[in-house]
Amino acid sequence: MAADIVVIGSYNQDFVWKADRFPKPGETIPGTFATGPGGKGSNQAIAAARSGASTAFVGAVGNDTLGENAQALHKREGIESHLAIKTQAPTGSAAIIVDATGQNQIIGDMGANLELQEADVPESLLRKALIVLAQPESNPATIRATLHKAHELGKITILNPAPIAENFDISILNAVDILIPNELEFATLVRLTPACRNPKFSTEDLFTLNDAALHNLCRSLGVATVIITLGNQGCFLSEKNGHRRFSIYHGLPVVDTTGAGDAFIGAFSSGLIQFNNNIPKAIQFASIAAALAVSKSGAAAAMPKAEDIQKHLSLAF
Ligand code: RIB
């Protein structure tokens, strides 16, 4: 089987508590509990597959029931799943709190995800792919090596640098065609990139910039296409030949923002194929996917299907 989109990334079991608000340090508050599949990589693969692209996923899970659930989930979703079973670590897990406004806070134990090795990534998959999409939530060294290999093979490489740490190795950007950070990740990349000449740049600084200045900063990262997702402020596209803002898709309730970025990125990748590499059209498609995802609870469970996105697309544009 040949998949157009190959996602190299993480799988987690999400343990989610919903409460009216986030607890203060030392405080106990009541909430309701649910559990379901998550992990940025797997969420993005599910978003890509549900929104219409043939998709493969490469990741690592523990030798445990949660890992078996991952296999079953990907089979149900029609994803070509290559899950390496690691005996030295459990399947990744995430503790998530969602407040009444739908905002979330997440703590993750990446477990087996960090054991993903280059040898676990079948080269034949990369060779047949159109797009290779990755995030550093699993073993960053494997992600870096795989994106470099995909880039050398001439594939479209997409990096969602989430989650990002202050020791993030920015050399990976040399292998990236399309970079999709959120505002926090973008600010960290600016601090880490010497060409940006702004080692103290913050998220607050980002929101004070006009579009031309933000575009210049994006250009300093050395990546052909940068799409900064800005929460309820939509997103900012910077390409070699210009920049443009996109607003969010309004009209749907905000229930749970967990996985909103994953819905956007998976659907964007799928939209790129569907719309023959037309980036603005893929962004519009992805914005609707993200709005649909936040209107439901859960991460993977909330990823929208192609027909639902299409229905809203015809209403919106
Ligand atoms: O982006 C949301 C995801 O981040 C959750 O599903 C959680 O598992 C963490 O990886």
Side-chain angles (χ1 to χ4, degrees):
M1 214 174 111
D4 288 341
I5 299 178
V6 174
V7 183
I8 319 290
S10 55
Y11 175 85
N12 292 333
Q13 182 73 25
D14 288 350
F15 299 91
V16 186
W17 287 264
K18 279 197 163 189
D20 286 345
R21 59 177 175 81
F22 297 119
K24 297 186 187 117
E27 188 187 24
T28 304
I29 60 171
T32 54
F33 173 75
T35 184
K40 296 182 195 303
S42 177
N43 293 343
Q44 291 174 23
I46 290 171
R50 287 193 186 173
S51 62
S54 64
T55 306
F57 176 74
V58 184
V61 291
N63 188 16
D64 48 35
T65 313
L66 297 180
E68 285 165 18
N69 293 347
Q71 312 257 19
L73 168 76
H74 290 163
K75 195 166 176 202
R76 282 199 305 278
E77 296 290 338
I79 291 171
E80 183 185 336
S81 191
H82 295 259
L83 287 171
I85 315 280
K86 304 292 176 180
T87 49
Q88 64 272 48
T91 296
S93 57
I96 303 179
I97 306 176
V98 179
D99 75 4
T101 71
Q103 297 308 306
N104 66 78
Q105 292 182 336
I106 304 179
I107 300 177
D109 173 359
M110 289 309 126
N113 291 302
L114 299 177
E115 305 296 330
L116 183 71
Q117 303 302 316
E118 227 185 305
D120 296 324
V121 185
E123 192 171 324
S124 58
L125 264 191
L126 301 181
R127 286 189 180 280
K128 290 178 199 152
L130 298 175
I131 293 175
V132 176
L133 162 63
Q135 329 69 32
E137 197 170 48
S138 50
N139 184 349
T142 301
I143 295 303
R144 199 166 51 247
T146 305
L147 275 195
H148 276 283
K149 195 181 281 178
H151 193 60
E152 280 159 23
L153 289 169
K155 307 301 170 184
I156 298 174
T157 53
I158 304 181
L159 177 70
N160 166 224
I164 198 163
E166 290 294 333
N167 64 356
F168 183 77
D169 182 351
I170 57 162
S171 70
I172 194 173
L173 298 184
N174 297 330
V176 176
D177 296 313
I178 304 177
L179 178 69
I180 313 183
N182 67 12
E183 64 272 33
L184 280 170
E185 292 142 11
F186 180 76
T188 307
L189 288 171
V190 169
R191 287 196 294 277
L192 292 173
T193 304
C196 294
R197 290 197 234 131
N198 207 334
K200 293 205 171 132
F201 188 77
S202 69
T203 310
E204 291 70 38
D205 295 334
L206 188 163
F207 288 108
T208 64
L209 295 178
N210 64 31
D211 287 4
L214 187 54
H215 176 57
N216 280 341
L217 216 42
C218 291
R219 292 302 88 218
S220 306
L221 295 176
V223 177
T225 301
V226 179
I227 302 166
I228 312 171
T229 58
L230 298 164
N232 62 13
Q233 297 198 29
C235 70
F236 182 82
L237 166 67
S238 165
E239 295 182 281
K240 280 181 188 155
N241 55 3
H243 55 85
R244 181 173 164 186
R245 270 188 194 265
F246 294 79
S247 55
I248 58 162
Y249 178 62
H250 294 283
L252 289 163
V254 177
V255 174
D256 179 357
T257 56
T258 314
D262 299 334
F264 181 94
I265 292 157
F268 170 79
S269 308
S270 165
L272 260 193
I273 294 172
Q274 214 169 305
F275 303 114
N276 291 320
N277 293 333
N278 183 320
I279 289 177
K281 277 196 170 176
I283 289 178
Q284 287 169 344
F285 186 75
S287 302
I288 291 174
L292 282 163
V294 304
S295 72
K296 291 191 177 147
S297 292
M303 297 302 153
K305 296 218 166 91
E307 56 265 33
D308 293 327
I309 304 174
Q310 287 296 352
K311 200 169 73 191
H312 287 271
L313 199 56
S314 54
L315 294 173
F317 302 103

